[in-house]
Amino acid sequence: MAEDIRDEQTPTVIADELHIVYRVNGAKTGKGSATAALSRILKRGEERGVRKVHAVKGVSFVAYKGEAVGLIGSNGSGKSTLLRAIAGLLPAESGRVYTHGQPSLLGVNAALMNDLTGERNVILGGLAMGMSREQIKERYQEIVDFSGINEKGDFITLPMRTYSSGMAARLRFSIAAAKDHDVLMIDEALATGDRKFQKRSEERIRELRKEAGTVFLVSHNNKSIRDTCNRVLWLERGELRMDGPTDEVIKEYEKFTGK
């Protein structure tokens, strides 16, 4: 299991009784419904046909610099929603999220531009992550080599639309991992590559913990969580069921799932 190297004196993320509620429009609409849709959003679910989904329910925790925190739970348990709230992409219904520094969210569906080459996407992705053009130039070859997408050809010069989903996800991770982060959140990225790439990714996550701050990892692969994380949050139906050392939490989770 990953070693615990957290700095107890430096909190990086604090969730305080956090509630996240989605509002889903279930009513049928006709043509020209954009204005009606905006009206529904502004009314925030007060009318008929709007269903509320309580995705995160009163979650509280403190994460520290130097930690790698795994998020586990059944499908629909609120893991990805929690990451998006920490990243500032979803508003809290109630409660608060406090972060030290700038949180960065990396998901396997993170947007790169399909019509541009991998090379151009490395540049644009690096700029979006807050890197300077000089930093991108210095780390460009490292990013490409880390992703492994050129091992069977010069794919970096081809449009992203020609990539497999695994190749695209590896490139996204490689771009994000080239920069040190205060808080880096990774949603299932390690599930997209072969074992060789997963090992490189796990090593890089350990480096990020030492060099920068805190890493959150959502994964259904318990081995990746064990190899990478020193702490685990177990969410179930939006509630924080358990928070503790990796082996202890995964052991209880496996009892719960019967796996």
Side-chain angles (χ1 to χ4, degrees), residues 2-257:
E3 60 181 322
D4 188 342
I5 59 170
R6 75 181 185 183
D7 180 351
E8 294 280 3
Q9 303 304 311
T10 312
T12 54
V13 177
I14 301 172
D16 181 16
E17 284 294 317
L18 181 64
H19 291 262
I20 303 293
V21 176
Y22 290 108
R23 286 168 173 81
V24 182
N25 175 38
K28 294 182 180 179
T29 59
K31 284 187 174 181
S33 59
T35 302
L38 178 59
S39 176
R40 283 192 295 274
I41 292 169
L42 293 175
K43 290 180 181 178
R44 297 184 65 83
E46 293 175 3
E47 66 191 90
R48 292 176 59 189
V50 175
R51 182 168 59 96
K52 293 183 180 181
V53 179
H54 201 162
V56 173
K57 305 174 182 176
V59 169
S60 296
F61 66 87
V62 180
Y64 297 88
K65 183 176 180 180
E67 281 193 313
V69 183
L71 272 69
I72 62 174
S74 307
N75 287 334
S77 60
K79 305 182 296 295
S80 296
T81 297
L82 179 59
L83 289 193
R84 288 173 63 80
I86 294 170
L89 300 176
L90 288 174
E93 181 77 5
S94 63
R96 292 287 185 89
V97 175
Y98 305 92
T99 60
H100 174 75
Q102 178 62 47
S104 300
L105 174 61
L106 170 68
V108 294
N109 295 319
L112 292 181
M113 302 187 73
N114 279 335
D115 289 334
L116 296 183
T117 65
E119 183 177 18
R120 292 295 299 166
N121 272 295
V122 169
I123 296 168
L124 292 176
L127 292 172
M129 299 297 293
M131 297 168 65
S132 68
R133 288 186 178 274
E134 189 62 31
Q135 287 174 321
I136 297 167
K137 184 177 179 181
E138 289 174 358
R139 301 179 191 182
Y140 172 81
Q141 195 59 48
E142 177 186 332
I143 291 169
V144 175
D145 292 345
F146 189 99
S147 72
I149 64 172
N150 263 9
E151 289 177 356
K152 296 183 180 180
D154 191 20
F155 284 98
I156 198 68
T157 62
L158 297 178
M160 284 279 292
R161 65 173 179 270
T162 66
Y163 293 8
S164 68
S165 59
M167 289 169 62
R170 294 201 306 272
L171 185 59
R172 291 184 188 102
F173 180 88
S174 302
I175 294 167
K179 180 180 183 292
D180 293 339
H181 299 267
D182 299 309
V183 179
L184 177 62
M185 295 168 287
I186 304 166
D187 195 347
E188 288 290 8
L190 299 188
T192 61
D194 57 20
R195 186 56 195 157
K196 181 180 176 182
F197 180 75
Q198 289 176 18
K199 288 193 75 171
R200 287 204 300 269
S201 302
E202 290 162 5
E203 289 168 5
R204 180 55 183 146
I205 287 173
R206 284 190 282 272
E207 290 173 3
L208 286 168
R209 290 172 58 196
K210 294 175 182 177
E211 295 170 5
T214 307
V215 177
F216 288 86
L217 173 64
V218 169
S219 179
H220 288 98
N221 185 333
N222 289 348
K223 186 177 188 309
S224 287
I225 295 286
R226 279 196 172 100
D227 290 345
T228 310
C229 303
N230 60 293
R231 174 183 174 187
V232 170
L233 306 178
W234 171 14
L235 292 176
E236 209 61 56
R237 296 188 177 184
E239 297 179 346
L240 183 57
R241 187 173 181 126
M242 191 172 180
D243 173 5
T246 299
D247 282 341
E248 291 180 18
V249 178
I250 289 183
K251 183 178 179 181
E252 291 302 313
Y253 179 65
E254 289 176 342
K255 284 182 187 177
F256 176 78
T257 60

